[in-house]
Amino acid sequence: MKSEKSVFDRLSAINVNEHVEKKDNLTYLSWAWAWSVTKKECPDASYKILPTEYDDDLGFMCHSEVTIEGQTLEMWLPVMDGKNKSMKKKPYSYPTKYGDKQVDAATTFDINKTMMRCLVKNLAMFGLGIYIYAGEDLPDTQVVEEIKPPTRLVALVKDSDEWKKVLKYVATNKSKGLAFIGKQLNTQYNISVELKKEIASLCD
């Protein structure tokens, strides 16, 4: 008997936290677990891994298609390294304020991993783990705990107790990126240029 709840309602209510892994700035959900859970909840689910596209300037782009209960959704995902930089057929470098950074050439292993991550992202379009992409920690009504703005900014001093709190906050939220972290910290602290550079280096 078909559930009265929609596919999205059923899949988005599943807590995936125990199956999430973090590496560098990226968050991963096991594709094998994600597909197993989807098939248990939606037995008719099927997927296709479509041809990988390549552009000399942009790099590789993986493409998948998932069909559940008559609805088909597509998803794309570029092949990226741990710093969210597109991988290409040949290695290349790009400039940063800390010097040039190297991006290795993509291998078939990198492309295969991205194909399966693309599938997981495709399943998120149907609800499974979608709260991860929204930057949340739990499904449904749970929201991310953010630094609350005080009535007056606190001058941030290195090696102070507040600085230790900031270091812990940066380490915990590194995967959200420097822009997110900077925005949150600026609501609470008055940060010198030197400390901003140090915080940025911790997010690199």
Side-chain angles (χ1 to χ4, degrees), residues 11 48 115 122 155 158 169 196:
L11 294 181
K48 292 181 182 179
M115 286 177 178
N122 210 154
K158 190 171 183 179
Y169 179 78
K196 285 183 178 179

Side-chain angles (χ1 to χ4, degrees), residues 12-13 131 136-145:
S12 64
Y131 63 89
E136 298 180 356
D137 295 325
L138 290 170
D140 297 328
T141 59
Q142 300 295 324
V143 297
V144 182
E145 181 180 355

Side-chain angles (χ1 to χ4, degrees), residues 156 162-171 185 189 199:
L156 188 60
E162 290 299 320
W163 175 246
K164 293 177 182 177
K165 290 179 183 179
V166 167
L167 292 180
K168 183 177 180 180
Y169 179 78
V170 171
L185 293 178
Y189 299 105
I199 290 171

Side-chain angles (χ1 to χ4, degrees), residues 11 27 29 42 61 104 111-112 122 140 142 161 186 188:
L11 294 181
T27 300
L29 179 61
C42 308
M61 181 69 74
D104 294 331
I111 295 171
N112 183 66
N122 210 154
D140 297 328
Q142 300 295 324
D161 289 340
N186 285 333
Q188 182 164 350

